[in-house]
Amino acid sequence: MEQLTAYCLTLPGAEKDYPFGPDTLVMKAGGKMFALLSEGSISLKCDSVIAENLRQQYEAVTPGYHLNKKHWNSIALDGSVPQDELRDMIKHSYELVLKGLTKAERTRIAGLA
């Protein structure tokens, strides 16, 4: 989890937040959530087609727990999903969130890179 948190924080404009209490870390960009980390799992936004493919490819990837199951995946951090694949999933989630931000907010975040 520490490695994934550290990776999230390398993304421009990424910030840590604990809106659901001390046990659930939320990573945000432009005030919008792109990752939710709790003990043993990470939930990430995902294109619906890619989300379904990942669920078929990895047993550890399931529809988002307490999230929109079409656009979010929860991934059990049991070692079955390679670290580089997890980083790709995080980057994809982050990029989807950026696309949904205003142009001004994207420009502000780009200035942080």
Side-chain angles (χ1 to χ4, degrees):
M1 286 242 311
E2 291 172 17
Q3 290 176 343
L4 295 179
T5 302
Y7 176 72
C8 288
L9 289 171
T10 68
L11 302 170
E15 301 173 325
K16 292 170 37 171
D17 193 10
Y18 292 90
F20 307 117
D23 296 330
T24 304
L25 170 61
V26 172
M27 300 301 301
K28 294 182 177 182
K32 303 288 184 183
M33 179 172 73
F34 71 89
L36 188 145
L37 295 99
S38 56
E39 192 58 43
S41 72
I42 184 171
S43 295
L44 301 165
K45 191 168 187 150
C46 193
D47 172 84
S48 59
V49 173
I50 295 171
E52 190 56 43
N53 288 338
L54 289 168
R55 294 171 195 165
Q56 291 174 7
Q57 187 176 358
Y58 297 105
E59 203 171 297
V61 179
T62 58
Y65 183 69
H66 288 301
L67 297 161
N68 180 316
K69 298 188 180 337
K70 183 176 180 182
H71 297 287
W72 285 83
N73 277 339
S74 291
I75 302 102
L77 301 176
D78 59 7
S80 65
V81 179
Q83 286 292 313
D84 60 337
E85 182 76 35
L86 283 170
R87 285 190 295 274
D88 288 347
M89 289 182 204
I90 291 168
K91 179 86 169 168
H92 175 67
S93 180
Y94 170 82
E95 289 171 350
L96 285 174
V97 167
L98 284 187
K99 284 182 186 177
L101 298 176
T102 65
K103 184 177 180 181
E105 188 63 24
R106 286 193 308 269
T107 301
R108 184 191 72 78
I109 289 171
L112 300 173

